[in-house]
Amino acid sequence: MPTIVLMDVSLSMTRPVSVDGSEEFQRKNLAVHGLNMLFEHMSSNYRLEFTALMAFSSLWELLVPFTRDYNALQEALSTLEDYDKTCVESALNGVNNVVQQEWGSSCPCQVVLVTDGSLGIGKGSLRHSLQTLKQRGDEKKFPLPFPFPTKLFIMCVANAEELQMTDAMDNLEELLRLSGGDGQIFTVEGPLSMKSVQAMFGRLIDHAYSTFHAVLHCGNLSSDVQVFPRPEPIVVDEEVEPMPRTVSADLEIVGFIEIADISSPPVISRHLVLPTAVNKDVDEVGTGATDELEEEPSASQMAGKSPNFCVLLHGSLKVEGMVALVQLGQEWYGMLYSQADSKKKSNLMMSVFDPGPEPLPWLGKITHLGPISAAENPYGEDDSKSPFPVQPQVKRSYAQNVTVWIKASGLQTDVQKILRNAKKLPDKTQTFYKELNRLRKAALAFGFWELLKGVADLLERECTLLPDSAHPDAAFQLSHAAQQLKLASTGDPQYAAFDHNIVPMHTDFSS
Protein backbone atom coordinates (compact mmCIF):
# COMPACT_ATOMS: atom_id res chain seq x y z
CA MET A 1 0.00 0.00 0.00
CA PRO A 2 1.78 3.19 -1.16
CA THR A 3 2.03 6.23 1.12
CA ILE A 4 1.99 9.90 0.17
CA VAL A 5 3.13 12.45 2.76
CA LEU A 6 1.65 15.97 2.66
CA MET A 7 3.92 18.46 4.41
CA ASP A 8 2.51 21.87 5.36
CA VAL A 9 5.11 24.57 4.54
CA SER A 10 2.93 27.61 5.21
CA LEU A 11 4.08 30.54 7.35
CA SER A 12 2.23 29.25 10.41
CA MET A 13 4.62 26.27 10.50
CA THR A 14 7.50 28.70 11.15
CA ARG A 15 6.11 29.73 14.54
CA PRO A 16 8.84 29.29 17.18
CA VAL A 17 8.59 26.70 19.93
CA SER A 18 10.81 26.88 23.01
CA VAL A 19 12.20 23.41 23.62
CA ASP A 20 13.39 22.67 27.15
CA GLY A 21 13.78 26.39 27.80
CA SER A 22 16.97 26.62 25.79
CA GLU A 23 17.05 26.42 21.99
CA GLU A 24 14.10 27.57 19.91
CA PHE A 25 12.74 25.42 17.11
CA GLN A 26 10.06 26.03 14.53
CA ARG A 27 7.05 23.75 14.30
CA LYS A 28 8.35 22.78 10.89
CA ASN A 29 11.55 21.48 12.52
CA LEU A 30 9.53 19.31 14.89
CA ALA A 31 7.47 17.95 11.97
CA VAL A 32 10.61 17.16 9.97
CA HIS A 33 12.04 15.35 13.00
CA GLY A 34 8.89 13.21 13.24
CA LEU A 35 8.87 12.43 9.50
CA ASN A 36 12.52 11.43 9.59
CA MET A 37 11.62 8.97 12.33
CA LEU A 38 8.79 7.58 10.17
CA PHE A 39 11.03 7.25 7.10
CA GLU A 40 13.75 5.50 9.11
CA HIS A 41 11.19 2.98 10.38
CA MET A 42 9.84 2.38 6.87
CA SER A 43 13.34 1.99 5.41
CA SER A 44 13.98 -0.81 7.90
CA ASN A 45 10.61 -2.55 7.84
CA TYR A 46 8.68 -1.34 4.79
CA ARG A 47 11.44 -0.81 2.23
CA LEU A 48 9.45 -2.50 -0.54
CA GLU A 49 6.63 0.03 -0.19
CA PHE A 50 6.52 3.16 -2.35
CA THR A 51 6.37 6.59 -0.67
CA ALA A 52 6.01 10.09 -2.14
CA LEU A 53 6.54 13.53 -0.56
CA MET A 54 4.48 16.64 -1.36
CA ALA A 55 4.78 20.16 0.08
CA PHE A 56 1.85 22.56 0.10
CA SER A 57 0.76 26.04 1.11
CA SER A 58 -1.61 27.88 -1.24
CA LEU A 59 -0.17 25.67 -4.02
CA TRP A 60 1.28 22.16 -3.98
CA GLU A 61 4.51 20.69 -5.27
CA LEU A 62 5.59 17.07 -5.67
CA LEU A 63 9.06 17.07 -4.12
CA VAL A 64 9.78 13.34 -4.45
CA PRO A 65 7.63 11.06 -6.65
CA PHE A 66 6.78 7.54 -5.47
CA THR A 67 10.06 5.85 -4.60
CA ARG A 68 11.69 3.25 -2.37
CA ASP A 69 14.71 5.50 -1.83
CA TYR A 70 14.13 6.82 1.69
CA ASN A 71 17.43 8.72 1.60
CA ALA A 72 15.97 10.88 -1.17
CA LEU A 73 12.88 11.54 0.96
CA GLN A 74 14.97 12.59 3.97
CA GLU A 75 17.18 14.83 1.81
CA ALA A 76 14.07 16.58 0.45
CA LEU A 77 12.90 17.22 4.02
CA SER A 78 16.17 18.97 4.84
CA THR A 79 15.71 21.48 1.99
CA LEU A 80 12.10 22.55 2.62
CA GLU A 81 11.34 26.22 1.99
CA ASP A 82 8.66 28.43 3.58
CA TYR A 83 5.71 29.73 1.57
CA ASP A 84 2.41 31.55 2.15
CA LYS A 85 -0.98 30.53 3.59
CA THR A 86 -2.45 27.07 4.10
CA CYS A 87 -4.81 25.62 1.48
CA VAL A 88 -5.65 22.01 2.26
CA GLU A 89 -8.10 21.64 -0.63
CA SER A 90 -5.38 22.46 -3.17
CA ALA A 91 -3.10 19.85 -1.60
CA LEU A 92 -5.82 17.18 -1.69
CA ASN A 93 -6.39 17.89 -5.38
CA GLY A 94 -2.67 17.35 -5.87
CA VAL A 95 -2.85 14.00 -4.06
CA ASN A 96 -5.74 12.96 -6.28
CA ASN A 97 -3.80 13.79 -9.44
CA VAL A 98 -0.51 12.19 -8.37
CA VAL A 99 -2.01 8.93 -7.06
CA GLN A 100 -4.34 8.37 -10.01
CA GLN A 101 -1.58 9.08 -12.50
CA GLU A 102 0.76 6.59 -10.79
CA TRP A 103 -1.57 3.88 -9.45
CA GLY A 104 -5.03 4.43 -10.94
CA SER A 105 -8.23 4.35 -8.92
CA SER A 106 -8.15 0.77 -7.59
CA CYS A 107 -4.94 0.76 -5.54
CA PRO A 108 -5.42 1.66 -1.83
CA CYS A 109 -3.22 4.51 -0.62
CA GLN A 110 -2.31 5.98 2.77
CA VAL A 111 -2.19 9.78 3.05
CA VAL A 112 -0.22 11.34 5.93
CA LEU A 113 -1.11 15.03 6.32
CA VAL A 114 1.39 16.88 8.54
CA THR A 115 0.21 20.32 9.67
CA ASP A 116 0.01 22.58 12.72
CA GLY A 117 -3.80 22.66 12.71
CA SER A 118 -4.07 26.14 11.18
CA LEU A 119 -6.93 26.14 8.70
CA GLY A 120 -5.76 29.05 6.58
CA ILE A 121 -7.57 32.35 6.05
CA GLY A 122 -10.17 33.58 3.59
CA LYS A 123 -10.99 31.83 0.34
CA GLY A 124 -9.11 28.57 0.02
CA SER A 125 -9.00 27.89 3.75
CA LEU A 126 -10.31 24.58 5.04
CA ARG A 127 -13.10 26.39 6.87
CA HIS A 128 -14.24 28.10 3.66
CA SER A 129 -13.95 24.83 1.67
CA LEU A 130 -16.17 22.92 4.08
CA GLN A 131 -18.75 25.72 4.30
CA THR A 132 -19.18 25.82 0.51
CA LEU A 133 -19.44 22.06 -0.06
CA LYS A 134 -23.12 22.14 -1.06
CA GLN A 135 -22.76 25.22 -3.25
CA ARG A 136 -20.39 23.66 -5.79
CA GLY A 137 -20.89 22.27 -9.25
CA ASP A 138 -19.26 19.14 -10.64
CA GLU A 139 -16.36 21.15 -12.07
CA LYS A 140 -15.26 22.48 -8.66
CA LYS A 141 -16.15 19.45 -6.60
CA PHE A 142 -14.29 18.96 -3.30
CA PRO A 143 -11.61 16.26 -3.79
CA LEU A 144 -12.85 14.09 -0.90
CA PRO A 145 -13.71 11.31 -0.94
CA PHE A 146 -10.93 10.20 -3.29
CA PRO A 147 -11.86 7.84 -6.13
CA PHE A 148 -9.37 5.31 -4.74
CA PRO A 149 -9.47 3.57 -1.30
CA THR A 150 -7.80 5.85 1.22
CA LYS A 151 -6.63 5.98 4.82
CA LEU A 152 -6.10 9.57 5.93
CA PHE A 153 -3.85 10.22 8.93
CA ILE A 154 -3.68 13.84 10.13
CA MET A 155 -0.58 14.65 12.19
CA CYS A 156 -1.07 17.92 14.10
CA VAL A 157 2.05 19.57 15.50
CA ALA A 158 -0.14 21.03 18.25
CA ASN A 159 -1.82 19.70 21.36
CA ALA A 160 -5.55 19.08 21.67
CA GLU A 161 -6.09 22.06 23.97
CA GLU A 162 -4.65 24.43 21.37
CA LEU A 163 -6.84 23.00 18.61
CA GLN A 164 -10.00 23.15 20.72
CA MET A 165 -9.56 26.86 21.38
CA THR A 166 -10.78 27.37 17.82
CA ASP A 167 -12.91 25.26 15.49
CA ALA A 168 -9.79 23.59 14.05
CA MET A 169 -10.48 20.16 15.56
CA ASP A 170 -14.11 20.18 14.36
CA ASN A 171 -13.01 20.99 10.82
CA LEU A 172 -10.30 18.34 10.83
CA GLU A 173 -12.79 15.74 12.07
CA GLU A 174 -15.15 16.74 9.25
CA LEU A 175 -12.26 16.35 6.79
CA LEU A 176 -11.61 12.86 8.14
CA ARG A 177 -15.30 11.99 7.83
CA LEU A 178 -15.40 13.14 4.19
CA SER A 179 -12.40 10.93 3.39
CA GLY A 180 -14.40 7.88 4.46
CA GLY A 181 -13.55 7.89 8.16
CA ASP A 182 -10.89 5.21 7.70
CA GLY A 183 -8.04 7.05 9.40
CA GLN A 184 -7.20 9.00 12.54
CA ILE A 185 -6.19 12.40 13.87
CA PHE A 186 -3.03 12.45 15.99
CA THR A 187 -2.17 15.35 18.31
CA VAL A 188 0.76 16.08 20.60
CA GLU A 189 0.27 15.04 24.22
CA GLY A 190 1.56 17.70 26.60
CA PRO A 191 3.76 20.66 25.64
CA LEU A 192 5.43 20.79 22.23
CA SER A 193 8.89 19.24 22.23
CA MET A 194 11.02 16.82 20.25
CA LYS A 195 10.01 13.95 22.55
CA SER A 196 6.25 14.68 22.39
CA VAL A 197 6.29 14.92 18.58
CA GLN A 198 8.36 11.75 18.41
CA ALA A 199 5.80 10.00 20.63
CA MET A 200 2.99 11.18 18.31
CA PHE A 201 4.68 9.70 15.24
CA GLY A 202 5.37 6.57 17.28
CA ARG A 203 1.62 6.14 17.76
CA LEU A 204 1.16 6.48 13.99
CA ILE A 205 3.78 3.78 13.39
CA ASP A 206 2.12 1.44 15.91
CA HIS A 207 -1.27 2.04 14.31
CA ALA A 208 -0.48 1.93 10.58
CA TYR A 209 3.09 0.77 10.03
CA SER A 210 3.67 -1.93 12.62
CA THR A 211 5.04 -5.26 11.41
CA PHE A 212 2.98 -8.45 11.51
CA HIS A 213 4.96 -11.42 12.83
CA ALA A 214 3.74 -14.92 12.12
CA VAL A 215 4.95 -18.52 11.94
CA LEU A 216 4.54 -20.34 8.63
CA HIS A 217 3.96 -24.09 9.11
CA CYS A 218 4.04 -26.94 6.60
CA GLY A 219 3.99 -30.34 8.26
CA ASN A 220 7.08 -30.56 10.46
CA LEU A 221 8.71 -27.53 8.81
CA SER A 222 8.21 -23.97 10.02
CA SER A 223 9.68 -20.52 9.62
CA ASP A 224 9.27 -17.17 11.36
CA VAL A 225 8.04 -14.59 8.84
CA GLN A 226 6.93 -10.98 8.63
CA VAL A 227 3.96 -9.90 6.50
CA PHE A 228 3.85 -6.47 4.81
CA PRO A 229 1.63 -4.55 4.93
CA ARG A 230 -0.10 -5.69 8.09
CA PRO A 231 -3.31 -7.64 7.20
CA GLU A 232 -6.40 -5.65 8.14
CA PRO A 233 -9.30 -7.16 10.14
CA ILE A 234 -12.24 -8.27 7.97
CA VAL A 235 -15.91 -7.92 8.96
CA VAL A 236 -18.15 -10.54 7.34
CA ASP A 237 -21.52 -8.97 6.53
CA GLU A 238 -23.35 -12.27 6.15
CA GLU A 239 -22.93 -13.21 9.80
CA VAL A 240 -25.81 -12.62 12.22
CA GLU A 241 -23.55 -10.72 14.61
CA PRO A 242 -20.67 -9.39 12.50
CA MET A 243 -17.35 -9.59 14.28
CA PRO A 244 -13.99 -8.48 12.88
CA ARG A 245 -11.85 -11.46 11.90
CA THR A 246 -8.08 -11.15 12.06
CA VAL A 247 -5.37 -13.20 10.37
CA SER A 248 -3.88 -15.75 12.74
CA ALA A 249 -0.22 -15.58 13.76
CA ASP A 250 0.02 -19.28 12.82
CA LEU A 251 -0.19 -19.71 9.04
CA GLU A 252 -0.73 -23.37 8.11
CA ILE A 253 -0.07 -24.61 4.55
CA VAL A 254 -2.82 -27.12 3.77
CA GLY A 255 -1.75 -28.12 0.26
CA PHE A 256 -0.30 -27.21 -3.11
CA ILE A 257 -2.02 -26.72 -6.45
CA GLU A 258 -0.96 -25.80 -9.96
CA ILE A 259 -1.19 -22.15 -11.01
CA ALA A 260 -3.36 -23.08 -14.03
CA ASP A 261 -5.96 -24.67 -11.73
CA ILE A 262 -6.29 -21.62 -9.49
CA SER A 263 -5.97 -19.06 -12.31
CA SER A 264 -6.49 -15.43 -11.12
CA PRO A 265 -8.85 -15.73 -8.14
CA PRO A 266 -10.64 -12.80 -6.47
CA VAL A 267 -8.66 -11.60 -3.44
CA ILE A 268 -9.14 -9.04 -0.67
CA SER A 269 -5.50 -7.96 -0.35
CA ARG A 270 -1.95 -8.89 -1.30
CA HIS A 271 1.03 -8.97 1.03
CA LEU A 272 4.77 -9.50 0.93
CA VAL A 273 6.16 -12.36 3.06
CA LEU A 274 9.76 -12.16 4.31
CA PRO A 275 11.74 -14.46 6.59
CA THR A 276 12.22 -12.70 9.92
CA ALA A 277 15.88 -13.70 10.12
CA VAL A 278 16.83 -11.91 6.90
CA ASN A 279 14.34 -9.04 6.80
CA LYS A 280 16.81 -6.50 8.16
CA ASP A 281 19.19 -7.15 5.28
CA VAL A 282 16.84 -7.72 2.37
CA ASP A 283 16.53 -4.83 -0.07
CA GLU A 284 13.99 -5.34 -2.84
CA VAL A 285 14.84 -9.01 -3.11
CA GLY A 286 11.88 -10.44 -1.21
CA THR A 287 12.66 -13.94 -0.05
CA GLY A 288 15.38 -14.00 -2.66
CA ALA A 289 14.94 -17.50 -4.00
CA THR A 290 16.58 -16.51 -7.28
CA ASP A 291 20.04 -17.68 -8.25
CA GLU A 292 20.67 -15.13 -11.00
CA LEU A 293 21.17 -12.10 -8.74
CA GLU A 294 24.46 -10.40 -9.45
CA GLU A 295 24.63 -7.07 -7.64
CA GLU A 296 22.57 -7.96 -4.60
CA PRO A 297 22.81 -11.23 -2.64
CA SER A 298 19.71 -13.37 -2.31
CA ALA A 299 17.91 -13.94 0.95
CA SER A 300 19.20 -17.50 1.04
CA GLN A 301 22.74 -16.11 0.90
CA MET A 302 21.88 -13.49 3.53
CA ALA A 303 20.51 -16.18 5.81
CA GLY A 304 23.98 -17.65 5.99
CA LYS A 305 24.49 -21.37 6.37
CA SER A 306 21.35 -21.93 8.46
CA PRO A 307 18.50 -23.47 6.41
CA ASN A 308 15.33 -21.44 6.05
CA PHE A 309 12.01 -23.03 5.10
CA CYS A 310 10.58 -19.76 3.73
CA VAL A 311 13.41 -19.51 1.17
CA LEU A 312 12.98 -23.20 0.27
CA LEU A 313 9.24 -22.71 -0.23
CA HIS A 314 9.71 -19.66 -2.45
CA GLY A 315 12.22 -21.42 -4.68
CA SER A 316 10.04 -24.53 -4.97
CA LEU A 317 6.90 -22.61 -5.90
CA LYS A 318 8.82 -20.62 -8.50
CA VAL A 319 10.46 -23.63 -10.14
CA GLU A 320 7.40 -25.91 -10.07
CA GLY A 321 4.88 -23.23 -11.12
CA MET A 322 2.57 -23.94 -8.19
CA VAL A 323 0.88 -22.08 -5.34
CA ALA A 324 0.46 -23.07 -1.71
CA LEU A 325 -2.98 -22.88 -0.12
CA VAL A 326 -2.58 -21.48 3.39
CA GLN A 327 -5.11 -21.36 6.24
CA LEU A 328 -5.33 -17.90 7.83
CA GLY A 329 -7.98 -18.68 10.43
CA GLN A 330 -11.15 -20.69 10.94
CA GLU A 331 -12.68 -21.21 7.45
CA TRP A 332 -10.40 -18.52 6.02
CA TYR A 333 -7.77 -19.21 3.38
CA GLY A 334 -5.24 -17.54 1.13
CA MET A 335 -2.44 -18.54 -1.20
CA LEU A 336 1.34 -18.18 -1.30
CA TYR A 337 3.08 -17.76 -4.66
CA SER A 338 6.21 -16.36 -6.30
CA GLN A 339 5.86 -13.03 -8.09
CA ALA A 340 8.59 -11.52 -10.25
CA ASP A 341 9.50 -7.95 -9.28
CA SER A 342 11.84 -7.67 -12.25
CA LYS A 343 13.83 -10.00 -14.49
CA LYS A 344 16.30 -10.75 -11.71
CA LYS A 345 14.21 -10.37 -8.56
CA SER A 346 11.16 -12.13 -7.21
CA ASN A 347 9.18 -12.09 -3.97
CA LEU A 348 7.10 -14.53 -1.98
CA MET A 349 3.60 -13.05 -1.93
CA MET A 350 0.43 -13.91 -0.02
CA SER A 351 -3.06 -13.19 -1.35
CA VAL A 352 -5.99 -13.24 1.07
CA PHE A 353 -9.28 -14.77 -0.08
CA ASP A 354 -12.76 -13.86 1.16
CA PRO A 355 -13.56 -15.64 4.44
CA GLY A 356 -15.55 -18.83 4.00
CA PRO A 357 -15.10 -22.56 3.35
CA GLU A 358 -15.51 -22.15 -0.44
CA PRO A 359 -13.68 -18.97 -1.51
CA LEU A 360 -13.05 -20.29 -5.04
CA PRO A 361 -16.24 -21.91 -6.42
CA TRP A 362 -14.44 -23.89 -9.14
CA LEU A 363 -12.36 -25.73 -6.50
CA GLY A 364 -15.25 -26.54 -4.20
CA LYS A 365 -14.67 -26.63 -0.45
CA ILE A 366 -11.00 -26.36 0.48
CA THR A 367 -11.43 -29.05 3.17
CA HIS A 368 -12.66 -31.51 0.50
CA LEU A 369 -9.48 -31.24 -1.57
CA GLY A 370 -7.18 -34.22 -1.19
CA PRO A 371 -3.77 -35.39 -2.36
CA ILE A 372 -3.29 -36.59 -5.94
CA SER A 373 -1.98 -39.89 -4.58
CA ALA A 374 -5.50 -40.76 -3.35
CA ALA A 375 -7.27 -43.99 -4.31
CA GLU A 376 -8.63 -42.33 -7.47
CA ASN A 377 -6.44 -39.80 -9.23
CA PRO A 378 -8.69 -36.81 -10.06
CA TYR A 379 -6.48 -36.03 -13.07
CA GLY A 380 -7.17 -39.45 -14.59
CA GLU A 381 -4.76 -41.16 -16.97
CA ASP A 382 -4.02 -37.94 -18.88
CA ASP A 383 -2.07 -35.59 -16.60
CA SER A 384 -2.29 -32.80 -19.18
CA LYS A 385 -6.03 -32.35 -18.53
CA SER A 386 -7.18 -30.58 -15.37
CA PRO A 387 -10.17 -31.82 -13.32
CA PHE A 388 -11.04 -28.21 -12.53
CA PRO A 389 -13.42 -26.51 -12.55
CA VAL A 390 -15.53 -29.06 -10.72
CA GLN A 391 -18.76 -29.58 -12.65
CA PRO A 392 -21.97 -29.31 -10.56
CA GLN A 393 -24.21 -32.38 -10.42
CA VAL A 394 -27.35 -30.35 -11.14
CA LYS A 395 -27.40 -28.20 -14.27
CA ARG A 396 -27.99 -24.57 -13.37
CA SER A 397 -31.01 -22.84 -14.88
CA TYR A 398 -29.07 -19.62 -15.35
CA ALA A 399 -26.32 -21.12 -17.50
CA GLN A 400 -27.19 -18.92 -20.49
CA ASN A 401 -25.18 -15.72 -20.76
CA VAL A 402 -27.09 -12.54 -19.95
CA THR A 403 -26.14 -8.89 -20.29
CA VAL A 404 -25.07 -7.34 -16.99
CA TRP A 405 -23.73 -3.81 -16.50
CA ILE A 406 -21.95 -3.59 -13.18
CA LYS A 407 -19.73 -0.67 -14.16
CA ALA A 408 -20.16 2.20 -16.59
CA SER A 409 -17.28 0.84 -18.68
CA GLY A 410 -19.31 -2.30 -19.52
CA LEU A 411 -22.24 -0.28 -20.82
CA GLN A 412 -19.90 2.01 -22.75
CA THR A 413 -18.29 -1.01 -24.41
CA ASP A 414 -21.66 -2.35 -25.61
CA VAL A 415 -22.70 1.03 -27.03
CA GLN A 416 -19.35 1.46 -28.79
CA LYS A 417 -19.73 -2.00 -30.32
CA ILE A 418 -23.05 -0.94 -31.88
CA LEU A 419 -21.53 2.28 -33.22
CA ARG A 420 -18.56 0.42 -34.71
CA ASN A 421 -20.89 -1.89 -36.61
CA ALA A 422 -23.03 1.09 -37.65
CA LYS A 423 -20.03 2.62 -39.41
CA LYS A 424 -19.61 -0.59 -41.45
CA LEU A 425 -23.18 -0.88 -42.75
CA PRO A 426 -24.44 -2.59 -44.84
CA ASP A 427 -21.62 -5.17 -44.60
CA LYS A 428 -22.23 -5.63 -40.83
CA THR A 429 -26.03 -5.45 -40.94
CA GLN A 430 -26.64 -8.78 -39.19
CA THR A 431 -24.05 -8.10 -36.46
CA PHE A 432 -25.39 -4.56 -36.00
CA TYR A 433 -28.94 -5.73 -35.35
CA LYS A 434 -27.77 -8.61 -33.16
CA GLU A 435 -25.91 -6.24 -30.81
CA LEU A 436 -28.74 -3.69 -30.99
CA ASN A 437 -31.36 -6.26 -29.93
CA ARG A 438 -29.11 -7.53 -27.13
CA LEU A 439 -28.81 -4.00 -25.71
CA ARG A 440 -32.54 -3.37 -26.26
CA LYS A 441 -33.57 -6.45 -24.28
CA ALA A 442 -31.24 -5.60 -21.40
CA ALA A 443 -32.51 -2.01 -21.26
CA LEU A 444 -36.14 -3.20 -21.22
CA ALA A 445 -35.39 -5.75 -18.51
CA PHE A 446 -33.81 -3.06 -16.32
CA GLY A 447 -36.42 -0.41 -17.17
CA PHE A 448 -33.61 1.69 -18.61
CA TRP A 449 -35.79 3.72 -21.03
CA GLU A 450 -33.33 6.61 -21.16
CA LEU A 451 -30.68 4.32 -22.63
CA LEU A 452 -32.90 3.46 -25.61
CA LYS A 453 -33.56 7.14 -26.27
CA GLY A 454 -29.86 7.97 -25.93
CA VAL A 455 -28.71 5.24 -28.33
CA ALA A 456 -31.41 6.34 -30.81
CA ASP A 457 -29.98 9.88 -30.72
CA LEU A 458 -26.50 8.49 -31.32
CA LEU A 459 -27.67 6.52 -34.35
CA GLU A 460 -29.38 9.60 -35.79
CA ARG A 461 -26.15 11.53 -35.31
CA GLU A 462 -24.19 8.80 -37.07
CA CYS A 463 -26.65 9.02 -39.93
CA THR A 464 -25.96 12.73 -40.38
CA LEU A 465 -22.19 12.12 -40.30
CA LEU A 466 -22.17 9.51 -43.05
CA PRO A 467 -19.73 10.45 -45.83
CA ASP A 468 -20.91 10.97 -49.40
CA SER A 469 -19.26 7.71 -50.38
CA ALA A 470 -21.36 5.71 -47.88
CA HIS A 471 -23.76 3.08 -49.17
CA PRO A 472 -27.37 4.40 -49.40
CA ASP A 473 -28.65 1.45 -47.39
CA ALA A 474 -26.63 2.58 -44.34
CA ALA A 475 -28.73 5.74 -43.88
CA PHE A 476 -32.00 3.79 -44.18
CA GLN A 477 -30.91 1.17 -41.64
CA LEU A 478 -29.68 3.74 -39.10
CA SER A 479 -32.87 5.79 -39.36
CA HIS A 480 -34.99 2.65 -39.04
CA ALA A 481 -33.10 1.40 -35.97
CA ALA A 482 -33.26 4.82 -34.29
CA GLN A 483 -37.02 5.04 -34.88
CA GLN A 484 -37.63 1.56 -33.42
CA LEU A 485 -35.59 2.39 -30.29
CA LYS A 486 -37.52 5.61 -29.77
CA LEU A 487 -40.81 3.73 -30.02
CA ALA A 488 -39.57 1.16 -27.49
CA SER A 489 -38.47 3.94 -25.12
CA THR A 490 -42.08 5.15 -24.84
CA GLY A 491 -43.06 1.93 -23.06
CA ASP A 492 -45.82 1.16 -25.57
CA PRO A 493 -46.48 -2.62 -25.29
CA GLN A 494 -46.73 -2.84 -29.06
CA TYR A 495 -43.09 -1.75 -29.48
CA ALA A 496 -41.57 -2.46 -26.05
CA ALA A 497 -42.30 -6.20 -25.95
CA PHE A 498 -39.32 -8.06 -24.51
CA ASP A 499 -39.48 -10.92 -27.02
CA HIS A 500 -39.75 -8.58 -29.98
CA ASN A 501 -36.65 -8.14 -32.15
CA ILE A 502 -35.84 -5.25 -34.44
CA VAL A 503 -35.35 -6.69 -37.93
CA PRO A 504 -33.40 -5.02 -40.73
CA MET A 505 -35.39 -2.71 -42.96
CA HIS A 506 -35.97 -4.21 -46.41
CA THR A 507 -34.86 -1.80 -49.12
CA ASP A 508 -34.12 -2.00 -52.81
CA PHE A 509 -30.44 -1.93 -51.86
CA SER A 510 -30.57 -4.86 -49.42
CA SER A 511 -31.37 -7.68 -51.76
Side-chain angles (χ1 to χ4, degrees):
M1 186 184 298
T3 297
I4 184 165
V5 177
L6 271 176
M7 178 65 182
D8 186 354
V9 291
S10 62
L11 290 175
S12 61
M13 289 289 286
T14 63
R15 286 180 291 169
V17 177
S18 179
V19 178
D20 299 330
S22 56
E23 188 178 0
E24 281 194 351
F25 287 91
Q26 296 178 354
R27 295 183 184 235
K28 183 180 72 172
N29 301 133
L30 299 180
V32 168
H33 176 71
L35 284 177
N36 277 322
M37 172 185 168
L38 174 63
F39 290 155
E40 288 174 2
H41 172 81
M42 295 179 70
S43 66
S44 300
N45 300 280
Y46 276 71
R47 60 176 61 185
L48 291 185
E49 293 290 352
F50 288 91
T51 305
L53 176 62
M54 285 178 56
F56 76 96
S57 54
S58 60
L59 302 175
W60 62 272
E61 179 185 1
L62 181 62
L63 300 178
V64 182
F66 283 101
T67 181
R68 290 170 172 170
D69 186 359
Y70 288 95
N71 290 328
L73 292 166
Q74 290 177 310
E75 289 176 5
L77 283 177
S78 63
T79 58
L80 288 176
E81 298 182 5
D82 302 324
Y83 292 93
D84 50 0
K85 67 176 185 177
T86 304
C87 183
V88 176
E89 181 177 351
S90 172
L92 296 177
N93 279 317
V95 171
N96 192 11
N97 294 335
V98 171
V99 173
Q100 289 208 77
Q101 183 178 1
E102 184 75 23
W103 304 102
S105 57
S106 59
C107 178
C109 184
Q110 296 190 133
V111 180
V112 179
L113 172 61
V114 184
T115 181
D116 60 344
S118 296
L119 306 179
I121 56 174
K123 188 176 182 181
S125 66
L126 181 59
R127 185 182 297 105
H128 178 268
S129 297
L130 297 178
Q131 290 174 349
T132 58
L133 279 179
K134 299 181 180 179
Q135 305 168 10
R136 300 168 177 240
D138 293 335
E139 297 180 356
K140 295 184 178 180
K141 188 178 179 182
F142 193 70
L144 293 182
F146 291 124
F148 47 88
T150 313
K151 286 187 176 181
L152 176 61
F153 299 104
I154 303 176
M155 313 300 294
C156 291
V157 188
N159 52 43
E161 291 77 10
E162 181 181 350
L163 295 174
Q164 289 171 354
M165 291 175 63
T166 62
D167 59 346
M169 182 61 79
D170 294 335
N171 284 275
L172 292 176
E173 289 176 348
E174 177 65 13
L175 188 69
L176 185 64
R177 187 192 67 80
L178 289 174
S179 71
D182 198 2
Q184 192 171 336
I185 300 175
F186 293 88
T187 59
V188 174
E189 295 180 354
L192 286 177
S193 65
M194 287 289 188
K195 290 184 178 180
S196 60
V197 171
Q198 187 174 338
M200 178 180 68
F201 276 87
R203 296 199 304 272
L204 170 66
I205 291 173
D206 293 339
H207 180 80
Y209 296 97
S210 60
T211 56
F212 181 80
H213 294 271
V215 181
L216 182 62
H217 301 277
C218 181
N220 295 325
L221 300 175
S222 63
S223 175
D224 292 332
V225 296
Q226 293 185 27
V227 181
F228 307 94
R230 188 181 186 89
E232 295 290 335
I234 301 297
V235 178
V236 182
D237 296 334
E238 289 78 4
E239 295 181 358
V240 179
E241 295 182 359
M243 293 288 291
R245 303 181 62 174
T246 57
V247 174
S248 172
D250 289 312
L251 307 177
E252 184 75 33
I253 294 178
V254 297
F256 300 88
I257 193 168
E258 294 183 4
I259 292 178
D261 292 336
I262 206 163
S263 187
S264 298
V267 298
I268 298 175
S269 58
R270 295 178 177 85
H271 307 266
L272 175 68
V273 180
L274 292 178
T276 301
V278 302
N279 175 55
K280 294 182 179 180
D281 301 317
V282 176
D283 186 5
E284 300 190 11
V285 186
T287 50
T290 54
D291 55 2
E292 63 270 29
L293 294 176
E294 297 177 357
E295 298 180 358
E296 293 176 313
S298 67
S300 56
Q301 295 169 334
M302 292 177 180
K305 297 181 180 179
S306 60
N308 190 291
F309 166 64
C310 189
V311 177
L312 171 66
L313 174 67
H314 181 200
S316 303
L317 295 178
K318 182 178 180 180
V319 173
E320 297 296 331
M322 302 186 76
V323 302
L325 294 177
V326 57
Q327 186 166 8
L328 310 176
Q330 184 178 3
E331 292 190 343
W332 194 7
Y333 299 91
M335 68 175 182
L336 296 169
Y337 56 96
S338 174
Q339 184 180 60
D341 192 27
S342 65
K343 290 184 178 180
K344 293 186 177 181
K345 301 173 186 176
S346 59
N347 304 308
L348 182 63
M349 304 294 294
M350 180 178 74
S351 291
V352 179
F353 300 150
D354 283 309
E358 196 173 350
L360 309 179
W362 59 90
L363 291 182
K365 291 186 176 181
I366 301 296
T367 54
H368 289 181
L369 295 176
I372 298 179
S373 59
E376 181 180 352
N377 189 342
Y379 283 85
E381 297 180 358
D382 188 0
D383 291 341
S384 63
K385 296 181 179 179
S386 173
F388 302 105
V390 177
Q391 298 296 328
Q393 297 179 353
V394 180
K395 186 177 180 181
R396 296 185 176 93
S397 60
Y398 50 86
Q400 186 175 2
N401 291 332
V402 295
T403 303
V404 178
W405 298 312
I406 299 177
K407 297 182 179 179
S409 57
L411 173 59
Q412 183 180 3
T413 300
D414 288 344
V415 174
Q416 288 176 340
K417 192 182 298 183
I418 293 174
L419 295 179
R420 282 198 303 269
N421 289 312
K423 296 178 184 296
K424 298 178 182 179
L425 291 173
D427 296 337
K428 294 288 186 179
T429 300
Q430 297 300 325
T431 307
F432 170 75
Y433 279 99
K434 176 184 176 182
E435 295 297 331
L436 189 71
N437 283 312
R438 186 169 71 88
L439 181 136
R440 174 186 175 276
K441 284 190 175 183
L444 292 174
F446 299 143
F448 200 169
W449 313 107
E450 297 84 356
L451 175 62
L452 299 176
K453 179 67 168 56
V455 175
D457 293 340
L458 288 175
L459 295 179
E460 288 182 343
R461 181 177 179 274
E462 286 295 326
C463 186
T464 61
L465 297 177
L466 287 174
D468 296 337
S469 59
H471 196 283
D473 192 39
F476 286 110
Q477 299 298 343
L478 288 175
S479 300
H480 168 66
Q483 182 185 12
Q484 292 297 315
L485 288 180
K486 284 186 176 181
L487 291 173
S489 67
T490 62
D492 188 341
Q494 181 179 354
Y495 301 101
F498 182 78
D499 296 330
H500 174 71
N501 283 325
I502 302 175
V503 297
M505 181 181 185
H506 181 73
T507 65
D508 294 338
F509 306 100
S510 57
S511 57

